[in-house]
């Protein structure tokens, strides 16, 4: 047996294998809640709603109220299921998961117990950042739809004292998709790669804003370790579930920490999996350790039963096909197309894909007829700078894809210089006029016309202050031409075509 | 009803009461064990039927896909919502102090 020095068992002469499965909660960005028309806090229109202003009698669980299913939440879930290569249940149903907690107004959560909407899927993750990485298939066991709970505060916002706990039910009833993977991850990096890809897929599908700080995606790894001793005997440590992680960093840290902690714990107590519930731990972001969570012995007695208030969901072929047809191009396919067909550099493709709205804008500019490489370069160098300054995405800057395509074409045809692209884009963002008209109006058209160039170049060559540069160029010192081109650009207020100017100067001075 | 036929034990009743956050005294436990036992015994008659080959039923209604279009209505008046609660503080429902971040969602 050879041991890997990075293996936390190595110091004890053990070989260990990490085993991780993930449960991921995704808040769907529907306009209204799962069971009632009250606004959904996971929708951008309601992100910063005041506490308890997104309520309805159903949302607070008043007696006698009845839930009505949100069609969009079902459709978004079906889309995610299809994108994750899942089968979609023809019939699924709703079950009550009973537990008492003040953030859960009905005292039960409506969920799907034995018949999830989506099941048996998965996708390939790359195992490195190499150009041609090895891949690994991660199985997805199920993805079911349920509702989120409210939020519990232990002091007033801003730190004011409360002698009780405070409940904000804005989040109660937000549609929540719970995705469960098989225990297929063997490293923390694999798990984080999967989480990243899942977030990208969901954001490109437009089913969630995916803002981690707002809790739009929460991750719960189930972790244990297979330990092999020198005699070749193997032991499995008890499974630990780490609750409610809301950053990739926390997912990574919690898995790494559990790997070491479980090996150390096994060295001390020799406890192995089997019998008893898995234990639940939380993640301490500051100390970077997991901590045992206090748990009631009956916490998992949820007494699921079919919800009599809700009828079944039947996804027939026609509805399924409608959802399939509405699927947008997924990030992996888009990336491949950007690199293979549109000749973008992988890093540029990734920059555009990081924000679905930016990728969609790029696609729209290409659709408007622009050259892909030039468009990529312009968007990433110039337009993205403006988007970052305005803290927004390319589509919200005010320039239509047609305007941008026109601008890129003007660059390609040397009608404007690259230094004119930035101000011209700015004008496009603030006006509906075509970039051609705007360039003319603001004097940004590049002049390659012989007569005009002749006049400018002659004036510069005749300038006594530049006599030395003129002599240097004549003497074959190529670098000296920069000063002369610069002077012509200044004289022409940036309108001269620098390439044509350079050629013109050489022509006149070599003659 | 003899003890042997009792479909639910006093321990079951105590457990269920605890899950439902109910405090029952011994007399009440005894009373509800009989009462729930009677209900369960009544329902158990269904077990006499031969359901071989019958598909499980998720809902007695013959309806499926009762769906609502995703259109948000304004949230209800906050004060009206909070007025139904036993206690409030500022904009919040107020409950006895609890520890931890959440139940199980």
């Amino acid at each position: 047996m050879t041991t890997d020095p990075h293996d936390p068992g190595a110091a004890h002469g053990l070989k260990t294998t990490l085993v991780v499965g993930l449960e991921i909660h995704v808040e769907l960005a529907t306009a209204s809640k799962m069971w009632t028309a009250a606004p959904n806090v996971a929708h951008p229109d309601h992100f910063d709603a005041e506490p308890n202003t997104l309520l309805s009698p159903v949302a607070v669980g008043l007696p006698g109220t009845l839930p009505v299913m949100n069609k969009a939440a079902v459709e978004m879930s079906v889309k995610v299921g299809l994108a994750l290569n899942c089968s979609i249940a023809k019939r699924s149903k709703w079950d009550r998961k009973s537990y008492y907690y003040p953030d859960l107004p009905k005292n039960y959560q409506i969920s799907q117990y034995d018949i999830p909407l989506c099941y048996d899927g998965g996708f390939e993750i790359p195992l490195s950042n190499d150009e041609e990485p090895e891949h690994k298939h991660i199985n997805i066991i199920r993805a079911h739809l349920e509702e989120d709970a409210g939020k519990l505060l232990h002091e007033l916002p801003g730190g004011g004292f409360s002698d009780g706990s405070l409940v904000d039910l804005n989040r109660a009833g937000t549609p929540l998709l719970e995705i469960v993977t098989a225990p297929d991850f063997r490293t923390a990096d694999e798990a984080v790669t999967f989480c990243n890809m899942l977030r990208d897929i969901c954001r490109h599908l437009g089913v969630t804003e995916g803002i981690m700080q707002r809790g739009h995606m929460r991750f719960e790894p189930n972790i244990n370790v297979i330990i092999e001793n020198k005699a070749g005997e193997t032991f499995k440590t008890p499974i630990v579930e780490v609750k409610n992680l809301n950053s990739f960093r926390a997912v990574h840290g919690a898995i790494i920490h559990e790997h070491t902690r479980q090996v150390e714990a096994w060295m001390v107590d020799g406890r192995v999996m089997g019998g008893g519930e898995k234990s639940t731990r939380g993640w301490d972001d500051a100390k970077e350790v997991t901590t045992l969570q206090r748990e009631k012995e009956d916490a998992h007695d949820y007494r699921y039963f079919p919800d009599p208030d809700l009828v079944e969901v039947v996804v027939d072929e026609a509805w399924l096909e409608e959802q399939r047809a509405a699927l947008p191009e997924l990030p992996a396919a888009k990336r491949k197309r950007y690199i293979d067909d549109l000749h973008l550099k992988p890093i540029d493709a990734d920059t555009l894909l990081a924000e679905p709205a930016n990728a969609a804008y790029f696609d729209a500019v290409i659709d408007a007829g622009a050259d892909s490489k030039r468009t990529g370069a312009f968007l990433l160098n110039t337009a993205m700078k403006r988007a970052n300054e305005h803290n927004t995405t390319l589509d919200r800057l005010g320039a239509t894809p047609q305007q941008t395509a026109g601008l890129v074409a003007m660059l390609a045809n040397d009608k404007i210089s690259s230094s004119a692209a930035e101000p011209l884009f700015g004008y496009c963002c603030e006006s509906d006029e075509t970039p051609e008209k705007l360039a003319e109006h603001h004097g940004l058209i590049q002049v390659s016309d012989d007569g005009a160039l002749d006049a400018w170049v002659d004036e510069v060559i005749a300038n006594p202050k530049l006599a030395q540069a003129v002599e240097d160029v004549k003497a074959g010192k190529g670098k000296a031409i920069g000063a002369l081109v610069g002077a012509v650009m200044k004289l022409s207020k940036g309108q001269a075509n620098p390439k044509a100017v350079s050629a013109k100067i050489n022509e006149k001075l070599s003659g | 009803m003899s003890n042997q036929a009792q479909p639910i034990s006093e321990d079951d009743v105590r457990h269920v009461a605890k899950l439902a956050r109910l405090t029952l005294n011994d007399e009440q436990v005894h009373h509800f064990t009989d009462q729930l036992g009677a209900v369960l015994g009544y329902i158990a008659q269904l077990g006499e039927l031969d359901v071989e080959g019958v598909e499980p039923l998720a809902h007695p209604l013959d309806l499926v896909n009762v769906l609502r279009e995703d259109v948000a209505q304004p949230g209800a008046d906050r004060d009206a919502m909070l007025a139904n609660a036993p206690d409030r503080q500022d904009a919040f429902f107020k409950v006895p102090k609890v520890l931890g971040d959440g139940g199980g969602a």
Side-chain angles (χ1 to χ4, degrees):
Chain A
M1 185 180 78
T2 54
T3 53
D4 171 354
H6 298 294
D7 186 330
H12 310 293
L14 302 167
K15 189 178 164 197
T16 72
T17 307
L18 187 60
V19 181
V20 180
L22 285 170
E23 290 173 24
I24 301 122
H25 285 97
V26 181
E27 286 187 347
L28 302 179
T30 50
S32 63
K33 292 187 195 258
M34 185 66 226
W35 311 114
T36 170
N40 174 13
V41 74
H43 186 279
D45 286 355
H46 310 296
F47 277 175
D48 297 307
E50 290 293 311
N52 291 312
T53 56
L54 306 180
L55 309 187
S56 70
V58 171
V60 301
L62 291 185
T65 57
L66 289 170
V68 187
M69 257 182 272
N70 184 335
K71 188 179 179 192
V74 176
E75 293 186 333
M76 286 180 178
S77 303
V78 169
K79 283 203 186 93
V80 175
L82 291 172
L84 302 181
N85 306 304
C86 289
S87 300
I88 308 300
K90 285 195 173 58
R91 299 179 85 93
S92 58
K93 66 179 182 49
W94 303 100
D95 301 280
R96 291 186 181 181
K97 176 182 181 178
S98 303
Y99 65 90
Y100 273 66
Y101 211 73
D103 62 7
L104 186 73
K106 298 188 299 296
N107 295 326
Y108 58 84
Q109 178 193 31
I110 303 174
S111 181
Q112 299 190 304
Y113 179 55
D114 52 346
I115 311 178
L117 188 57
C118 318
Y119 60 97
D120 287 353
F123 61 85
E124 306 263 308
I125 60 165
L127 295 177
S128 71
N129 292 326
D130 299 347
E131 288 278 315
E132 309 259 323
E134 273 189 66
H135 284 79
K136 172 174 181 174
H137 189 80
I138 303 299
N139 291 290
I140 291 167
I141 297 171
R142 59 186 283 163
H144 70 260
L145 190 50
E146 56 185 35
E147 57 178 329
D148 212 343
K151 266 186 183 161
L152 208 52
L153 287 76
H154 304 293
E155 55 184 26
L156 285 168
F161 175 78
S162 174
D163 58 348
S165 290
L166 304 170
V167 188
D168 175 6
L169 293 181
N170 277 352
R171 198 180 66 179
T174 284
L176 199 60
L177 188 66
E178 179 174 332
I179 300 163
V180 183
T181 80
D184 287 344
F185 304 101
R186 294 293 170 270
T187 67
D189 286 340
E190 289 176 13
V192 170
T193 299
F194 178 88
C195 293
N196 257 307
M197 290 177 74
L198 180 66
R199 177 171 179 271
D200 284 346
I201 290 169
C202 289
R203 294 184 75 231
H204 278 265
L205 288 171
V207 304
T208 185
E209 294 296 316
I211 302 172
M212 312 289 279
Q213 302 90 306
R214 291 187 184 274
H216 291 169
M217 293 187 84
R218 280 121 57 193
F219 304 92
E220 300 185 342
N222 281 257
I223 307 162
N224 79 331
V225 183
I226 300 171
I227 296 172
E228 186 184 343
N229 67 12
K230 282 190 175 132
E233 298 167 300
T234 59
F235 307 88
K236 293 177 181 174
T237 59
I239 296 176
V240 164
E241 180 174 6
V242 186
K243 300 292 277 186
N244 263 328
L245 303 174
N246 60 6
S247 74
F248 296 134
R249 188 176 159 269
V251 171
H252 195 267
I255 293 172
I256 294 282
H257 180 257
E258 272 304 301
H259 190 178
T260 305
R261 193 196 64 77
Q262 290 188 19
V263 172
E264 298 296 328
W266 180 82
M267 292 294 296
V268 174
D269 63 22
R271 276 186 61 216
V272 294
M273 195 167 86
E277 284 286 349
K278 60 188 176 187
S279 60
T280 303
R281 300 179 74 89
W283 171 245
D284 185 325
D285 234 341
K287 292 184 188 154
E288 302 196 330
V289 296
T290 63
T291 52
L292 190 64
Q293 289 190 333
R294 194 176 63 103
E295 233 179 329
K296 301 164 198 83
E297 69 276 17
D298 53 26
H300 292 296
D301 196 345
Y302 292 129
R303 293 152 294 148
Y304 282 99
F305 70 98
D307 192 318
D309 291 343
L310 289 159
V311 298
E312 287 172 291
V313 185
V314 172
V315 182
D316 61 15
E317 272 309 309
W319 198 12
L320 188 61
E321 274 318 305
E322 198 182 304
Q323 298 315 303
R324 207 190 296 276
L327 280 183
E329 186 182 31
L330 295 172
K334 236 188 220 306
R335 186 174 191 274
K336 189 166 162 38
R337 181 168 62 85
Y338 284 2
I339 295 168
D340 293 354
D341 302 347
L342 300 181
H343 312 296
L344 296 191
K345 281 185 242 159
I347 186 169
D348 291 346
D350 288 336
T351 306
L352 284 171
L353 287 163
E355 196 57 64
N358 289 342
Y361 190 80
F362 171 73
D363 286 339
V365 176
I366 302 300
D367 285 348
D371 172 72
S372 64
K373 274 170 92 171
R374 285 181 186 276
T375 302
F378 170 73
L379 292 181
L380 290 159
N381 297 328
T382 308
M384 208 71 112
K385 189 174 144 206
R386 189 180 174 93
N388 291 339
E389 280 164 12
H390 289 72
N391 194 22
T392 187
T393 46
L394 297 174
D395 57 315
R396 294 173 156 231
L397 288 172
T400 64
Q402 289 71 24
Q403 283 179 308
T404 302
L407 188 158
V408 170
M410 290 176 80
L411 271 171
N413 301 331
D414 270 344
K415 280 194 184 158
I416 54 169
S417 67
S418 54
S419 60
E422 188 171 345
L424 181 55
F425 185 65
Y427 296 127
C428 288
C429 291
E430 273 137 35
S431 165
D432 295 334
E433 287 291 354
T434 63
E436 289 81 6
K437 281 197 176 159
L438 289 167
E440 270 172 42
H441 180 75
H442 293 279
L444 294 172
I445 295 288
Q446 181 158 266
V447 178
S448 307
D449 168 68
D450 238 26
L453 290 183
D454 266 334
W456 283 324
V457 170
D458 287 344
E459 189 178 334
V460 164
I461 290 174
N463 185 343
K465 286 184 192 163
L466 293 165
Q468 185 59 50
V470 170
E471 287 312 310
D472 287 348
V473 173
K474 277 186 179 163
K477 293 182 187 166
K479 278 185 189 166
I481 202 168
L484 301 179
V485 173
V488 173
M489 294 309 290
K490 201 173 163 190
L491 188 62
S492 70
K493 300 198 177 75
Q495 292 187 66
N497 176 346
K499 268 189 234 154
V501 169
S502 183
K504 180 74 69 186
I505 293 170
N506 274 325
E507 182 191 311
K508 285 183 188 277
L509 295 184
S510 67
Chain B
M1 198 177 281
S2 82
N3 234 10
Q4 220 158 9
Q6 193 73 297
I8 185 168
S9 71
E10 294 200 349
D11 281 346
D12 290 334
V13 171
R14 283 198 179 86
H15 178 62
V16 172
K18 190 176 160 200
L19 291 175
R21 304 292 182 268
L22 296 173
T23 309
L24 303 182
N25 62 32
D26 286 352
E27 193 187 333
Q28 287 168 319
V29 168
H30 191 71
H31 174 73
F32 287 122
T33 304
D34 277 353
Q35 207 174 66
L36 288 170
V39 172
L40 290 170
Y42 179 67
I43 297 295
Q45 292 179 52
L46 291 174
E48 292 164 19
L49 295 173
D50 178 11
V51 290
E52 187 70 32
V54 177
E55 285 283 306
L57 189 68
H59 200 284
L61 289 183
D62 222 3
L63 293 169
V64 297
N65 293 354
V66 179
L67 298 160
R68 171 176 60 80
E69 290 301 322
D70 181 30
V71 180
Q73 305 285 341
D77 177 69
R78 178 160 67 194
D79 285 328
M81 287 288 113
L82 290 170
N84 290 304
D87 199 4
R88 67 178 282 186
Q89 184 173 351
D90 293 0
F92 298 93
F93 297 94
K94 186 178 174 188
V95 297
K97 201 89 182 164
V98 287
L99 295 170
D101 285 331

